[in-house]
Amino acid sequence: MNDPITLGWEEWVSLPTLGLPAMRAKIDTGARTSALHATEIEPFGSAKQPKVRFTVHPIPGREDLIIPCSATVIDRRDVTSSNGETELRYVIETSIIVGETSWPIEVTLTDRRGMASHMLLGRQALNESVSVNPSERFCQPQLSYEIYHSATMRREMPNRALRIAVLSREDNYSTRRLVEEGEKRGHTVEVIDTTRCYMAINALSPEVHYDGARLPRFDAVIPRIGASVTPYGTAVIRQFETVGTFCVNGSQGITASRDKLHAHQLMARHKIGMPNTAFAASPKDTGSLISLVGTAPLIVKLLESTQGKGVVMAETKKAAESVISAFRGLKANFLVQDFVKEAAGEDVRCLVIGGKVVASIKRTAAAGEFRSNLHQGGSASKVKITKEERETAIKAAKAFGLGMAGVDLLRSETGPKVLEVNSSPGLEGVEKTSQKNVAELIYEHIEARVRPEPVRKRKTTL
């Protein structure tokens, strides 16, 4: 900043790097240090790159407008306020815009609740180019709080460093890629073993605890819940939802996708194409069950099956009756499905993120195998999907309310049939085959979703 600028005792300022486009600041040359009203101040990140998260209420009296912020910590400093109290505060650096002039300043974070000004500019922030006229106010062009009531605020909000939890019990390719990509984008990513979480459930302060301590407030959670721990895993996600954390996939969507019967009923409700499917409890209904689906060959599938396990193809009606009888003898719940012959052991995996198909691959079963799952020895190749297949995949993910889903389609003579909607799709096969950075797209979705929503204007009464 070189051009001279005159400030009154109060001015409109903008802190664009914090996502605060309009604030009124008190210019106080009697104070050495600048201060920003911040609540929920919490450090995070590594010791080498310490960061701090906090929330700001830019409009005095409007506690419903909350702007989440984060910044790199440059210092911690004892600051004595005008009433003589000393407080150890985090110090951050940010850019400030007043009128048409911008310059970097250091700001301390403190709770200024009840004070008329939510920001104070001390003399450290005012260099030789700035003069202050204490008898005037608003010497520079005025801004407006109107921006906080419009979608413009959300679009222009800068991407900030986030604290993100990956719920996973496995050190596999998907987990490693999520950590690697998140850290590359400046976020702090922590892998949390789902089964080691426990919960304090109450109305005032519901919490998630882990290894003897309360988990910090995360900006977002990426669930990688294994099928074997679905009930407990979704309970943990519900707890995060209760405290207001953004979850890429919600508990209801994961629960519905893991229950094959519920999943097919949900798809039927949304009129999504799928193979003919039947379910029954009584052994007396075996013949009718088979006839509802069609003729052999048939697929008999356990409700809890995953990665192609618990899925059997019966070549003949007699074989189908034998498999059904065996499953019933084990008191297992299962579905019977029509075998889509024209698919010829191939299916299409569409990865949907944020309501868009971001990648798709074709999976082909190994010789002598009907299951195309890569875990069962199948192979993958690039594929170009049709408009109908794209729309079907998006519709299926939306029906389950999933922000990220692997939708498996069969190509039949009557159009695409959804075979399964996977709420924890693996990234390895899709990334390596499609050559797309799927982990990056997941973070782009998270970064867009954690931005603050505009607040409604309050009606004025005469």
Side-chain angles (χ1 to χ4, degrees):
M1 180 178 69
N2 296 314
D3 296 335
I5 179 174
T6 300
L7 305 180
W9 69 266
E10 185 177 24
E11 294 289 347
W12 283 92
V13 304
S14 174
L15 305 175
T17 55
L18 294 179
L20 299 167
M23 290 190 73
R24 283 161 62 165
K26 179 182 178 182
I27 317 302
D28 187 353
T29 55
R32 181 171 179 269
T33 308
S34 299
L36 176 65
H37 169 55
T39 58
E40 299 184 55
I41 301 169
E42 180 184 82
F44 72 110
S46 65
K48 290 183 178 180
Q49 292 183 314
K51 300 182 180 73
V52 64
R53 297 188 307 161
F54 52 97
T55 58
V56 175
H57 303 283
I59 306 177
R62 290 297 303 266
E63 297 297 308
D64 56 330
L65 174 60
I66 302 172
I67 305 296
C69 306
S70 65
T72 300
V73 176
I74 62 171
D75 194 11
R76 290 199 75 183
R77 192 176 300 161
D78 281 321
V79 178
T80 303
S81 63
S82 57
N83 60 13
E85 294 182 359
T86 300
E87 177 188 22
L88 182 61
R89 300 181 188 174
Y90 289 100
V91 184
I92 65 170
E93 185 176 85
T94 185
S95 62
I96 186 172
I97 300 176
V98 185
E100 296 181 355
T101 307
S102 173
W103 69 96
I105 63 170
E106 289 184 3
V107 181
T108 66
L109 304 176
T110 185
D111 191 337
R112 293 175 59 84
R113 206 171 314 181
M115 296 189 181
S117 297
H118 280 191
M119 185 170 183
L120 182 144
L121 272 185
R123 60 179 182 272
Q124 272 189 336
L126 310 174
N127 60 28
E128 64 277 1
S129 299
V130 177
S131 60
V132 179
N133 185 344
S135 63
E136 297 289 336
R137 65 195 291 242
F138 305 134
C139 296
Q140 298 299 316
Q142 296 190 42
L143 303 175
S144 170
Y145 289 136
E146 288 292 317
I147 193 169
Y148 294 111
H149 306 302
S150 71
T152 303
M153 174 197 68
R154 197 161 198 260
R155 288 196 304 268
E156 295 183 357
M157 180 68 58
N159 284 336
R160 59 190 175 91
L162 303 175
R163 190 170 195 171
I164 297 172
V166 178
L167 291 183
S168 176
R169 299 174 66 207
E170 298 181 18
D171 178 22
N172 55 22
Y173 177 93
S174 298
T175 301
R176 291 193 297 271
R177 282 288 294 125
L178 289 170
V179 173
E180 173 190 10
E181 194 63 38
E183 292 181 344
K184 190 167 80 174
R185 297 175 75 85
H187 305 313
T188 296
V189 185
E190 300 168 46
V191 180
I192 304 295
D193 185 334
T194 319
T195 56
R196 282 161 56 189
C197 294
Y198 51 102
M199 296 156 276
I201 304 169
N202 57 68
L204 296 177
S205 58
E207 297 172 339
V208 181
H209 288 247
Y210 185 76
D211 282 355
R214 181 182 66 84
L215 281 175
R217 177 176 51 87
F218 289 104
D219 293 290
V221 168
I222 306 174
R224 303 289 307 172
I225 306 297
S228 62
V229 295
T230 297
Y232 193 78
T234 51
V236 172
I237 295 170
R238 278 197 301 274
Q239 189 77 350
F240 280 115
E241 292 170 331
T242 300
V243 301
T245 302
F246 169 66
C247 298
V248 174
N249 283 339
S251 56
Q252 290 187 344
I254 296 173
T255 299
S257 70
R258 289 287 164 77
D259 183 332
K260 295 290 190 293
L261 178 59
H262 185 182
H264 283 81
Q265 290 172 323
L266 190 59
M267 289 191 289
R269 187 191 311 164
H270 288 84
K271 302 189 185 311
I272 297 169
M274 56 185 167
N276 292 331
T277 304
F279 172 81
S282 172
K284 295 180 180 179
D285 297 324
T286 299
S288 297
L289 191 67
I290 293 172
S291 64
L292 281 175
V293 174
T295 57
L298 300 172
I299 300 295
V300 185
K301 183 184 298 185
L302 289 175
L303 293 189
E304 297 82 13
S305 63
T306 181
Q307 298 179 350
K309 300 171 185 175
V311 180
V312 179
M313 183 173 72
E315 297 278 3
T316 64
K317 182 179 178 181
K318 188 70 176 175
E321 290 173 348
S322 298
V323 172
I324 290 171
S325 177
F327 278 3
R328 281 201 171 118
L330 296 171
K331 296 184 178 180
N333 294 314
F334 59 90
L335 299 173
V336 179
Q337 277 188 333
D338 179 29
F339 178 66
V340 181
K341 303 178 187 67
E342 58 268 32
E346 293 181 344
D347 69 16
V348 175
R349 161 64 62 93
C350 296
L351 196 67
V352 181
I353 298 176
K356 296 179 181 179
V357 176
V358 299
S360 54
I361 61 173
K362 181 170 71 174
R363 304 184 302 182
T364 304
E369 178 62 73
F370 73 95
R371 295 167 294 183
S372 57
N373 304 71
L374 301 184
H375 289 87
Q376 298 294 332
S379 59
S381 59
K382 289 184 179 181
V383 67
K384 185 175 181 179
I385 61 173
T386 65
K387 180 183 178 182
E388 186 181 10
E389 289 168 341
R390 185 178 302 275
E391 290 174 347
T392 299
I394 293 170
K395 188 176 180 182
K398 185 177 179 181
F400 287 82
L402 295 172
M404 174 178 63
V407 181
D408 297 338
L409 304 173
L410 294 176
R411 289 174 158 172
S412 77
E413 294 172 349
T414 55
K417 306 287 186 186
V418 176
L419 194 61
E420 184 180 13
V421 177
N422 192 321
S423 55
S424 291
L427 304 186
E428 185 171 9
V430 175
E431 282 199 335
K432 290 183 176 179
T433 304
S434 68
Q435 298 296 301
K436 292 187 177 181
N437 189 337
V438 173
E440 178 183 50
L441 298 173
I442 293 171
Y443 282 105
E444 288 179 0
H445 172 61
I446 292 171
E447 290 161 0
R449 288 298 304 272
V450 298
R451 296 181 175 213
E453 297 283 352
V455 296
R456 291 184 179 181
K457 296 180 185 178
R458 284 182 178 169
K459 293 182 180 179
T460 56
T461 55
L462 299 177

